[in-house]
Amino acid sequence: MKTIGFIGVGIMGKSMVRNLMKAGFTLHIYARTRAKVEDVIDEGALFYEDIGSCVEDCDAVITIVGYPEDVEEVYLAEGNIFERARAGAYCIDMTTSSPNLAKQLYAKGKALGLHVLDAPVTGGDVGAKNGTLSILVGGEEEDFKACLPLFKAMGTNIQYEGKAGNGQHTKMVNQIMIAANLSGVCEALSYARKKELDLDAVLAAVSSGAAGSRQLELLGSKILAGDLNPGFFVKHFVKDMRLAAEEAEESGLKLDILLQVLKHYQALETDGWGDLGTQALIKHYEE
Amino acid sequence: MKTIGFIGVGIMGKSMVRNLMKAGFTLHIYARTRAKVEDVIDEGALFYEDIGSCVEDCDAVITIVGYPEDVEEVYLAEGNIFERARAGAYCIDMTTSSPNLAKQLYAKGKALGLHVLDAPVTGGDVGAKNGTLSILVGGEEEDFKACLPLFKAMGTNIQYEGKAGNGQHTKMVNQIMIAANLSGVCEALSYARKKELDLDAVLAAVSSGAAGSRQLELLGSKILAGDLNPGFFVKHFVKDMRLAAEEAEESGLKLDILLQVLKHYQALETDGWGDLGTQALIKHYEE
C-alpha cells in the first residue's frame, strides 16, 4: 500500500495527511478550496480538483468529512469514490457517522470489489497532530489488518471492533460517556462557583479521585478561565449525540441523560453557539 | 494531640481507627454493638458504652456516621459530644452531610470553646484501608493545620477548602460529577450491550481516551460482570445527591442531570436496592 487518496483536509485531516506522508505514503488530496491546503501541497501532497481524479489511482482512500450526508456524497454521488476507485482499493471512512450508513457503504462497496472500513477516531486535533488518535474500526478483519500500517501512522490505540458499523457504534459509546461526563463537570463547576468556593482548591480536591475524568482534565480549567474556544465544536457534538440517540431509540433504549444533554446542546446551537467548543455547555448553567 | 474519640466505627471507620492507632494516637471508640468492634478493641482501641464518656477526655473527636440526622444526634443530643467534649477539643465531622448543618455546628461549637471542622472524604473503603483518602476540610485554617497530623494518618490528598461548610460543599461538587459520570458509563455500556459489541474491545477503545473516567475504571468491568456488590451504597448516594440538589436549588441553580440521576436512584431505592453498590444504576437501563 503506497498511494492514499484523502478527502476532508480540515484541521484534523491536515495533521493526518502530514503523519501519513511522514510514514512514507504518497498522498493525493482533494479540497474545495485549494488555497486552504497550500501548506500540505508545499509539503508534498498532490492536489486534485475533483474527488474522482483524486482517488482513481490510489491503493486506499480515506475520508473524514462533516456529516453523514457528506459521507454519502463523497462515496455515492456521480463521479465520486465508488465510481472511480479501482477494484481492490480500501475505502476507510473516518468521519463520525451513522452506523447504518457504514453498513450500507460496506455492502455496496463489496459488490464493487472494494474493501470498506468504518474507522472513526477519538483524540481530537491534538491526537491527530501527535499521531496519537484512537481509531475504532469496523469491517472485515483481514481488511483491518491490511490497513494497519496506515492506521499506525495516525494513531496509537487502534482497535478492531468487529463487523461493519461497529467502529461507528463504538464511537457512539464514547460520545454517550462524554456527554454525561462533560455535563457533570459543568454542573459541578457551576455549583462550586455559585457557592463561592476556591475553585483551584476544589479542583485539587476532586480531580484525582472518584470524580476524576478526562473531560475534567481537558476542559475544567478552560471553563474556569472562560475559554470557550473549540477543541471540538458544539455543532459536531450535536451531530454525534443525535446519531447516538437515534441508534439507541431504534434499539428500544431510552438514554435519558444523553437526551437531556442533547437538548441543552441543541439550544446552544439554536442560540448561535455551534462554533464554540463543547465546554460552552457551561452557558446552560450560568446564563 | 494524643487521644481521639471516634464515633462511627463502620467499614470505613474501622480502617480509619486502625490507621490512627498505627500513627500513634490513642483511640476511644463508641459503638452501639460492642461485638461488631471487638477486632479493633483487640488491636488496642478503648471501648466506651456511651458517646459522652467516649469523647470527654479526648483532644479530638472524629465522627463518621450515616445521615445528617445522625450527625445532629451525636453532636447535639443530651449527653453527647457538645455537652461532654472538653473545652479546646477539635471536633471533626467526616460524614458526608449538610453544608448548612456544618455551619451550624461550627457556630455552636465555637460558642462552647470547641474547634469544629467539616471534613468529608472520598476514596471509599479502599482509600480508608490504605490510608489514601482525599479529605476535604472546611472551618478555621488554624484548626485545619492543628489537625493535619491526624488527617495525614488517614489520607494522602488533604485539602483546605475555606470556611465552615466548604468541606461539605466540595464533597457535593465531587458527588455531582460522579452522578453524571456513572450515568454515562451505564448508558454507554447498555448501548454497547444492546448493539452486541465486543465489550472488551469497546472498553479497550474508549477507556484511555476522552471518555475515560475513574467511574469507568472502578465500575465498568463490575457492571459487565454483573457484580452489583457495594463499594458505595445506593442509599448513601441518594442521600448525597439529595443534599446536593437541595443546596443547588437553594442557590437558584437547576442541575438537570443531577436531578434526573437522583430520580433513577430513588426509584432503585424504592424497589428495594438501597444496599446494592452504585453501579446498580445499570438496572434502570437494562431491566
Side-chain angles (χ1 to χ4, degrees):
Chain A
M1 209 171 315
K2 285 199 172 163
T3 308
I4 301 173
F6 201 105
I7 314 295
V9 191
I11 296 177
M12 291 193 52
K14 234 175 231 190
S15 297
M16 294 157 83
V17 162
R18 287 189 171 114
N19 285 324
L20 288 163
M21 291 195 293
K22 214 178 290 171
F25 295 100
T26 300
L27 269 287
H28 294 198
I29 66 172
Y30 160 79
R32 263 169 293 191
T33 315
R34 184 185 163 121
K36 288 191 180 167
V37 295
E38 285 293 354
D39 47 1
V40 284
I41 295 173
D42 287 345
E43 294 164 36
L46 304 171
F47 182 78
Y48 292 84
E49 299 209 340
D50 66 280
I51 292 175
S53 317
C54 177
V55 305
E56 69 182 348
D57 292 324
C58 293
D59 304 313
V61 177
I62 293 176
T63 52
I64 180 161
V65 293
Y67 294 85
E69 306 84 86
D70 303 315
V71 175
E72 280 195 85
E73 161 84 17
V74 298
Y75 280 94
L76 301 176
E78 206 186 319
N80 283 354
I81 300 170
F82 275 5
E83 266 188 26
R84 300 283 292 275
R86 63 165 182 68
Y90 294 88
C91 297
I92 307 161
D93 182 33
M94 304 185 82
T95 316
T96 296
S97 171
S98 149
N100 282 331
L101 177 57
K103 286 181 231 170
Q104 288 166 29
L105 292 178
Y106 166 80
K108 284 186 185 170
K110 188 162 183 165
L112 296 166
L114 299 168
H115 305 282
V116 179
L117 295 167
D118 51 300
V121 302
T122 73
D125 49 348
V126 176
K129 192 170 179 186
N130 299 335
T132 56
L133 292 169
S134 292
I135 307 178
L136 322 173
V137 189
E140 303 274 352
E141 190 163 11
E142 60 182 311
D143 297 343
F144 166 74
K145 284 182 180 159
C147 292
L148 265 176
L150 187 157
F151 291 137
K152 283 185 177 163
M154 298 181 285
T156 42
N157 182 24
I158 296 151
Q159 300 285 343
Y160 178 65
E161 299 291 342
K163 68 185 181 197
N166 279 11
Q168 296 297 350
H169 277 312
T170 305
K171 181 68 188 274
M172 298 295 116
V173 168
N174 192 75
Q175 302 307 74
I176 293 166
M177 280 197 260
I178 288 177
N181 293 357
L182 187 46
S183 285
V185 170
C186 290
E187 294 203 344
L189 294 184
S190 67
Y191 179 98
R193 204 125 68 169
K194 201 80 168 185
K195 297 298 185 182
E196 298 180 343
L197 304 182
D198 174 336
L199 299 167
D200 292 328
V202 169
L203 285 187
V206 305
S207 300
S208 62
S213 69
R214 191 84 182 106
Q215 289 299 305
L216 178 60
E217 281 170 42
L218 289 170
L219 298 176
S221 55
K222 281 194 184 184
I223 291 169
L224 295 182
D227 172 4
L228 302 185
N229 288 318
F232 185 54
F233 287 118
V234 163
K235 64 186 177 190
H236 290 158
F237 197 34
V238 167
K239 169 199 65 167
D240 296 359
M241 287 189 284
R242 201 166 35 78
L243 285 168
E246 286 166 9
E247 280 289 334
E249 199 187 348
E250 204 180 296
S251 296
L253 267 178
K254 187 162 176 279
L255 304 184
D256 322 63
I257 302 304
L258 175 69
L259 293 171
Q260 187 68 42
V261 180
L262 174 55
K263 254 188 222 165
H264 295 337
Y265 272 102
Q266 283 172 324
L268 285 179
E269 207 183 6
T270 303
D271 289 347
W273 304 118
D275 288 319
L276 292 181
T278 49
Q279 70 274 27
L281 180 61
I282 194 70
K283 285 175 166 288
H284 172 75
Y285 296 100
E286 299 197 337
E287 283 181 9
Chain B
M1 208 172 314
K2 286 198 172 165
T3 308
I4 301 172
F6 201 104
I7 314 297
V9 192
I11 296 177
M12 290 192 55
K14 235 174 229 190
S15 295
M16 292 157 84
V17 161
R18 287 190 170 113
N19 285 325
L20 287 163
M21 291 195 293
K22 214 177 290 172
F25 295 100
T26 299
L27 268 288
H28 294 198
I29 66 172
Y30 159 79
R32 264 169 294 194
T33 315
R34 182 183 164 120
K36 289 191 179 169
V37 296
E38 283 293 356
D39 45 3
V40 284
I41 295 172
D42 287 347
E43 295 163 36
L46 305 170
F47 182 79
Y48 292 82
E49 300 209 339
D50 67 280
I51 291 175
S53 316
C54 176
V55 305
E56 67 183 348
D57 291 323
C58 292
D59 304 312
V61 178
I62 292 176
T63 53
I64 180 161
V65 294
Y67 295 84
E69 307 84 86
D70 302 314
V71 175
E72 278 196 85
E73 161 84 17
V74 298
Y75 280 93
L76 301 176
E78 205 185 321
N80 283 354
I81 300 171
F82 275 5
E83 266 188 25
R84 300 283 292 277
R86 64 164 180 70
Y90 294 88
C91 297
I92 307 162
D93 182 34
M94 303 185 84
T95 316
T96 295
S97 171
S98 149
N100 283 331
L101 177 58
K103 285 181 232 172
Q104 287 166 31
L105 292 177
Y106 165 80
K108 284 187 184 169
K110 187 163 185 164
L112 296 164
L114 298 168
H115 305 282
V116 179
L117 295 167
D118 51 302
V121 301
T122 73
D125 48 348
V126 176
K129 192 170 179 184
N130 299 334
T132 57
L133 292 169
S134 291
I135 307 178
L136 321 173
V137 189
E140 304 271 353
E141 190 162 10
E142 62 181 310
D143 296 345
F144 165 74
K145 284 180 180 161
C147 292
L148 266 176
L150 185 157
F151 291 137
K152 283 184 178 164
M154 298 181 286
T156 44
N157 182 23
I158 297 151
Q159 300 286 342
Y160 178 64
E161 300 291 342
K163 67 184 182 199
N166 279 10
Q168 296 297 350
H169 277 311
T170 304
K171 180 70 187 272
M172 297 297 117
V173 168
N174 192 75
Q175 302 306 74
I176 292 167
M177 280 197 260
I178 289 177
N181 293 356
L182 187 45
S183 285
V185 170
C186 290
E187 294 202 346
L189 293 183
S190 67
Y191 179 98
R193 203 125 70 171
K194 201 78 169 189
K195 298 296 184 182
E196 298 180 343
L197 305 183
D198 174 335
L199 299 167
D200 292 327
V202 169
L203 285 187
V206 305
S207 300
S208 62
S213 69
R214 191 87 180 104
Q215 289 299 304
L216 178 60
E217 281 170 42
L218 289 168
L219 298 175
S221 55
K222 282 194 183 182
I223 289 169
L224 295 181
D227 172 4
L228 302 185
N229 288 318
F232 185 56
F233 288 118
V234 163
K235 64 186 176 190
H236 289 157
F237 197 34
V238 167
K239 169 199 66 167
D240 296 359
M241 286 188 285
R242 201 166 34 79
L243 286 168
E246 286 165 8
E247 281 288 336
E249 200 187 348
E250 205 179 296
S251 297
L253 267 178
K254 185 161 178 280
L255 303 183
D256 323 65
I257 303 303
L258 174 69
L259 292 171
Q260 186 68 42
V261 180
L262 174 55
K263 255 189 220 166
H264 295 337
Y265 272 102
Q266 283 172 323
L268 284 178
E269 206 183 7
T270 303
D271 289 347
W273 304 117
D275 288 319
L276 291 181
T278 49
Q279 70 273 30
L281 179 61
I282 193 70
K283 284 175 167 289
H284 172 76
Y285 295 100
E286 299 197 337
E287 282 178 10

